[in-house]
Amino acid sequence: MADKPTSRRRSASTDTADASRGERPITRAAVLETALRIVDQDGVDALSMRRLAEAVRRDPMVIYRHVPNKAAVLDGVAELVFDQLRVDATDIDWMSQLRTVARDFRKLALDHPRVVTLLVTRPLATPLGLRPQAVLRPLEDILALLMRAGFAGPDALHIYRALFGFLYGHVLNELQEIVENPEETDDLLRLGLYRLPIGEFPLLRALAPALATYDGAAELERGLDILLTGLAANLPRHNGADEH
């Protein structure tokens, strides 16, 4: 414990030295943006506090002043991506707005495929009240959207959980490597399904054409059709809100 004041003094003196050399002081946002670039380029396993310090060209103690450990950096990377997700809580068409949110989330996942595991796991590893505001904002805004549409609070929360449970599963599935031999034109060979015993997996083998022509955008829309129409039909609304 005795080394913490020394660490803080070293960090402060390093920042002061940076300023005296005319260098822009490092901020938490700059550290996290650099971490996001590292993960985007080389994956989560490539991120370390040492590499992060080297990337921002500062003493490692400066990094620890803004983020105490790697776990905090990973949380911050997820926070940066979630901060780009917008929900219009005033939209009178709740289904249309949730479709827009779903499409935007998928786009963020495709833009940052190596961050997706963090988006799915990091928030859930932190108690709700301790999560960054950027992570909580979509939840708050979706609750406002749905409650304005006439859903009771617990039902609105159920819809949020169902939607994001579906989205997390969808993006993880879409980003999986499903093609073994991309140059093959035969679907069984393309997917490696020829390895499966014919008698034990007849349905999988028969569905090879559908599996080989997987379309992430179309799958998302189909899943949303099933999810949102089912929720609308089975969850009651009050205040005379119109169905959409």
Side-chain angles (χ1 to χ4, degrees):
M1 298 298 292
D3 63 337
K4 288 187 177 180
T6 302
S7 298
R8 285 196 292 269
R9 286 196 298 271
R10 288 180 61 192
S11 299
S13 64
T14 305
D15 275 353
T16 302
D18 292 341
S20 68
R21 291 194 298 268
E23 296 178 345
R24 180 178 299 179
I26 288 296
T27 63
R28 177 177 181 272
V31 170
L32 294 180
E33 287 165 3
T34 301
L36 175 58
R37 286 195 295 271
I38 292 172
V39 174
D40 276 341
Q41 178 179 332
D42 297 320
V44 174
D45 291 341
L47 180 65
S48 67
M49 299 301 280
R50 180 178 296 277
R51 179 171 179 185
L52 189 53
E54 292 173 352
V56 298
R57 300 180 180 179
R58 293 296 192 277
D59 184 280
M61 295 313 302
V62 175
I63 304 299
Y64 283 107
R65 184 181 181 189
H66 297 289
V67 281
N69 49 47
K70 183 176 177 179
V73 177
L74 297 179
D75 288 339
V77 169
E79 177 187 351
L80 280 184
V81 178
F82 267 112
D83 195 39
Q84 301 175 58
L85 189 64
R86 296 287 181 267
V87 180
D88 181 2
T90 66
D91 194 334
I92 62 172
D93 188 339
W94 67 273
M95 276 198 196
S96 175
Q97 182 58 209
L98 291 187
R99 284 182 182 276
T100 297
V101 171
R103 292 165 187 157
D104 289 348
F105 184 82
R106 174 178 177 265
K107 183 179 185 304
L108 284 172
L110 296 181
D111 288 345
H112 304 280
R114 290 172 169 160
V115 181
V116 166
T117 54
L118 300 182
L119 301 181
V120 173
T121 61
R122 296 307 300 181
L124 298 178
T126 306
L128 197 63
L130 298 179
R131 296 175 195 175
Q133 290 188 12
V135 175
L136 291 174
R137 181 56 54 191
L139 168 56
E140 179 72 14
D141 289 343
I142 287 176
L143 291 177
L145 170 76
L146 294 171
M147 293 176 72
R148 185 175 285 110
F151 290 101
D155 287 338
L157 185 59
H158 176 74
I159 293 173
Y160 169 85
R161 287 171 172 162
L163 175 66
F164 273 83
F166 164 69
L167 288 178
Y168 291 157
H170 174 84
V171 296
L172 286 171
N173 186 66
E174 183 172 358
L175 291 170
Q176 292 297 313
E177 179 58 55
I178 63 169
V179 175
E180 182 183 38
N181 299 304
E183 302 305 318
E184 278 288 349
T185 57
D186 181 273
D187 295 328
L188 285 173
L189 297 177
R190 180 178 171 83
L191 298 174
L193 292 177
Y194 66 93
R195 301 175 185 274
L196 301 179
I198 297 176
E200 293 185 30
F201 298 95
L203 299 180
L204 274 179
R205 292 174 64 95
L207 285 171
L211 291 166
T213 56
Y214 178 86
D215 182 330
E219 288 286 330
L220 179 73
E221 297 300 326
R222 179 58 176 152
L224 290 171
D225 286 342
I226 296 169
L227 176 67
L228 296 179
T229 56
L231 289 168
N234 287 281
L235 293 179
R237 289 198 284 165
H238 53 77
N239 294 333
D242 294 330
E243 294 288 346
H244 294 287

